[in-house]
Amino acid sequence: MRVVVVEDEIRIREGIEGLLEMMGEDYEFAGSAENGKTGLELIQKEQPDIVITDIRMPDMSGLEMLQEIRAQGNSVKTVVLSAYSEFEYARQAMRLGVTEYLLKPVSVDEFSRAMDAMKTKIQKERSVQPKALGTLEQIMSAILYGQLELDKSLEEYLTGQYDIQPDHTIVEVCIYLGNQYKDKVKRVQKEWENLLKAKGDLHFGMVQADYEQTLMIAIYQFQNIQELERRIQCWLLQKADRLEIGSVGWVEAKGIKSLKTAFDTLYQYMDWNLTLGRDVLIAYPKILQVQTSVCVYPIELENRLKTELCLGNMEQVKKIAQKFYKYFSGGKLYTPKDIKECYIRFIWAVINITKEINLLDYVNLNQQEILDKVMGAMLFQELEGAVEGLFGQICLEEEQEDGTAHLTVRRMKSMIHEFYQSGITLDEIALKLNVTPEYLSMQFHKEVGETYSSYMKNYRVGKAKELLVGTQMKQYEIARQVGYTDSKYFGRVFRECTGYSPAEFRKTYK
């Protein structure tokens, strides 16, 4: 596999080249470029099998480069490098046919996984031998995977054998099954065959798109296209629950040569069942006209979740998570993008708080995998699975294996970190943790080496230092931000802890 790297940071380019060398003879480094403009020229020259590109680069971005590549008819496989903050960019890249992206900083394991996935897909496509194709399903499969050009002789064969005219409209019905694909695809295919054959006036072919975990049905002869769409919608309403169908979409291809383009276009909208429900047919381009509401993130659920995590109450945590899941099915319509961004924010809140109180093996946490699951989710159970998978990694043992950091103390520190701005008291923390203030104070001093009031004061001062150096906020604003209503008193406390006034500290360290 010949690989081109387009990345403006030289260290990342060199690092990827080194990783490719480590992966052996299956991968050949074909060159690198520092922006999309020179990358486009390099790709046109080298014709690689795989392109690895950053999203944001000078002169021409990775997205602009991908758009130009696709406009030229080049279907080269692409791996995109992105950051969590670039969620929307990564989503746009997915609409350009990108199926693999890596979260910076890139890990060796994730890089290997992405490259192997690309290699598997390329090898599968190359294994198709157009000359050996005979059945309609084989021809459709080859067209769908971009391995068969529709020349005049093939057009004549399809016309003579199946009465498929080159300019006939073909309806594609796509059934996405997710991780249930292997178990259900044959049963679902049989059900749809029985349905369509019962109508008598329909002719169709079926393709199992394993990589996309989707069954694609191409209906090429029908009496009335509006009536056909109505039939399928009605049947879906009747059968979706029994078959546990994930997401069903509809798109019209202008001739069999457009089969792949239509499939790729529809596939990127298959996650709209998150909004509409799995018993609603996702019809493109009608889906573009759906009116949605502004999605307001349920911050109150996040705050309650943090509190219960600090208390170690996983039963309540899971109840809150269930309320979070139901929040998006309360009657309002939100875009899939907004729903996924809410899930990412919710997941990152869990990661951050459990990391803070040492309930999560953060070092070995595969954040890329979690982000992949959310970004690629087309079903609510896939989104919920990402959350539940994270919950499964939370450790609530009373003590860590090394015997340090008593759980009660960790929870107390976490609550201080969470509520230091509002001035939570020792008595309030003790009440939440269901222990006496005396016991809590003694245990905290024993393990931390300082009193509650001292720890709170030093933590507030530490936050104030960050604001003094990192912002232009005034002293009274910083005082309020870290929990002091009196800015003069805040100044005295700050000098007592640091030896500087806030103004002197800012002048010295900014």
Side-chain angles (χ1 to χ4, degrees):
M1 302 292 167
R2 303 181 74 251
V3 183
V4 160
V5 179
V6 185
E7 164 64 60
D8 60 331
E9 294 185 39
I10 187 171
R11 282 203 278 182
I12 295 180
R13 293 201 304 271
E14 292 175 345
I16 292 175
E17 182 179 357
L19 289 174
L20 290 171
E21 291 177 357
M22 289 171 53
M23 294 177 68
E25 297 179 355
D26 286 346
Y27 301 96
E28 175 189 348
F29 180 71
S32 64
E34 61 184 12
N35 58 57
K37 186 176 180 181
T38 55
L40 185 60
E41 295 172 355
L42 181 63
I43 292 165
Q44 291 170 336
K45 176 184 176 183
E46 297 294 336
Q47 293 295 307
D49 301 296
I50 300 172
V51 172
I52 301 172
T53 182
D54 193 3
I55 289 181
R56 305 179 72 175
M57 295 179 291
D59 295 337
M60 178 186 281
S61 72
L63 288 179
E64 291 170 332
M65 182 187 73
L66 288 175
Q67 288 171 340
E68 184 62 30
I69 289 173
R70 297 299 181 246
Q72 295 174 2
N74 189 335
S75 58
V76 63
K77 297 295 180 287
T78 309
V79 178
V80 161
L81 307 176
S82 68
Y84 166 61
S85 61
E86 297 171 338
F87 180 95
E88 177 58 23
Y89 293 103
R91 181 173 172 271
Q92 292 178 45
M94 292 171 69
R95 294 192 182 279
L96 292 171
V98 174
T99 54
E100 292 292 335
Y101 55 92
L102 298 174
L103 186 67
K104 291 182 177 180
V106 179
S107 72
V108 175
D109 288 345
E110 284 303 314
F111 181 80
S112 298
R113 181 201 60 77
M115 296 302 292
D116 287 345
M118 288 290 93
K119 182 178 71 172
T120 299
K121 187 169 186 179
I122 291 170
Q123 289 175 338
K124 179 175 180 179
E125 292 177 357
R126 289 178 178 174
S127 68
V128 179
Q129 300 296 324
K131 293 180 181 179
L133 295 180
T135 68
L136 180 61
E137 285 74 15
Q138 289 172 319
I139 294 172
M140 287 181 173
S141 178
I143 293 174
L144 198 64
Y145 282 102
Q147 291 301 301
L148 184 61
E149 293 186 6
L150 193 65
D151 56 20
K152 190 168 184 61
S153 62
L154 184 55
E155 287 181 356
E156 292 174 353
Y157 172 77
L158 292 172
T159 301
Q161 190 74 14
Y162 301 103
D163 195 22
I164 300 176
Q165 302 295 332
D167 58 349
H168 271 185
T169 294
I170 296 177
V171 170
E172 289 185 61
V173 177
C174 297
I175 303 103
Y176 174 80
L177 299 173
N179 57 16
Q180 298 295 310
Y181 175 81
K182 289 184 179 179
D183 296 332
K184 294 182 178 178
V185 66
K186 290 183 179 179
R187 181 163 63 93
V188 171
Q189 180 170 341
K190 189 65 177 177
E191 288 275 355
W192 280 83
E193 283 178 349
N194 293 338
L195 167 75
L196 298 175
K197 287 178 179 178
K199 302 305 177 183
D201 60 342
L202 303 177
H203 295 266
F204 57 90
M206 294 186 170
V207 175
Q208 294 183 13
D210 298 343
Y211 186 84
E212 293 82 6
Q213 299 179 315
T214 298
L215 175 66
M216 191 280 286
I217 305 172
I219 307 173
Y220 57 89
Q221 284 187 17
F222 43 84
Q223 295 297 322
N224 184 294
I225 197 167
Q226 289 78 23
E227 174 63 18
L228 175 60
E229 183 177 356
R230 188 191 67 80
R231 282 185 194 173
I232 292 176
Q233 176 60 84
C234 290
W235 188 78
L236 187 58
L237 287 168
Q238 297 168 3
K239 302 287 187 178
D241 287 335
R242 184 171 68 80
L243 280 180
E244 299 178 8
I245 291 173
S247 177
V248 181
W250 163 293
V251 67
E252 297 169 25
K254 302 304 179 182
I256 196 167
K257 65 181 178 181
S258 301
L259 213 60
K260 175 176 172 56
T261 302
F263 178 85
D264 291 342
T265 299
L266 175 62
Y267 189 75
Q268 57 193 310
Y269 292 96
M270 294 291 283
D271 58 359
W272 270 87
N273 83 97
L274 297 174
T275 296
L276 302 175
R278 65 184 183 183
D279 56 356
V280 175
L281 185 64
I282 301 165
Y284 179 88
K286 292 180 182 178
I287 192 66
L288 303 177
Q289 307 304 318
V290 173
Q291 297 297 310
T292 57
S293 303
V294 175
C295 186
V296 179
Y297 178 74
I299 188 65
E300 72 284 354
L301 290 178
E302 178 185 310
N303 291 334
R304 287 171 56 193
L305 178 90
K306 290 178 179 178
T307 300
E308 296 300 338
L309 281 169
C310 291
L311 296 172
N313 192 344
M314 284 304 295
E315 182 177 347
Q316 285 300 317
V317 165
K318 291 183 177 181
K319 287 182 179 179
I320 293 169
Q322 289 298 322
K323 292 182 178 179
F324 178 80
Y325 305 154
K326 292 179 181 178
Y327 177 82
F328 301 99
S329 56
K332 293 184 178 180
L333 297 181
Y334 306 119
T335 67
K337 168 184 173 289
D338 287 344
I339 294 172
K340 290 180 182 182
E341 286 182 344
C342 286
Y343 267 82
I344 287 176
R345 181 172 172 181
F346 190 76
I347 285 170
W348 252 253
V350 174
I351 290 174
N352 288 334
I353 193 66
T354 50
K355 172 189 174 185
E356 186 70 33
I357 59 178
N358 199 29
L359 293 181
L360 188 68
D361 184 4
Y362 182 76
V363 174
N364 294 315
L365 180 68
N366 193 332
Q367 297 180 66
Q368 176 72 50
E369 182 180 10
I370 295 172
L371 186 60
D372 284 350
K373 287 180 179 179
V374 176
M375 290 280 284
M378 294 192 182
L379 310 173
F380 263 119
Q381 52 261 46
E382 292 174 340
L383 289 175
E384 294 167 11
V387 178
E388 297 298 327
L390 179 60
F391 286 165
Q393 298 184 57
I394 295 175
C395 175
L396 289 176
E397 295 176 349
E398 279 300 311
E399 293 188 2
Q400 299 295 308
E401 292 182 1
D402 59 3
T404 62
H406 190 280
L407 181 59
T408 301
V409 173
R410 296 205 312 275
R411 292 174 181 167
M412 180 178 178
K413 289 173 69 175
S414 175
M415 297 186 77
I416 292 172
H417 298 171
E418 185 71 21
F419 302 109
Y420 71 94
Q421 294 170 306
S422 59
I424 191 168
T425 66
L426 178 66
D427 288 349
E428 288 171 333
I429 296 175
L431 182 62
K432 288 180 178 294
L433 296 179
N434 198 29
V435 295
T436 65
E438 294 77 16
Y439 170 80
L440 189 59
S441 176
M442 177 188 68
Q443 194 66 38
F444 188 85
H445 188 272
K446 175 183 176 182
E447 296 197 17
V448 178
E450 58 182 320
T451 63
Y452 159 78
S453 58
S454 174
Y455 185 87
M456 173 69 87
K457 177 176 64 177
N458 288 328
Y459 189 77
R460 284 173 163 172
V461 168
K463 290 295 182 182
K465 288 179 181 179
E466 295 175 8
L467 295 173
L468 285 166
V469 175
T471 74
Q472 298 296 328
M473 293 171 66
K474 293 181 171 40
Q475 179 175 324
Y476 75 89
E477 293 174 322
I478 293 176
R480 291 177 183 173
Q481 185 73 16
V482 299
Y484 291 96
T485 56
D486 186 335
S487 64
K488 291 184 178 179
Y489 177 67
F490 162 69
R492 290 198 299 272
V493 172
F494 192 90
R495 181 180 289 277
E496 176 187 327
C497 292
T498 66
Y500 297 94
S501 71
E504 290 169 344
F505 184 87
R506 172 174 273 170
K507 184 178 180 180
T508 301
Y509 291 99
K510 187 161 185 174

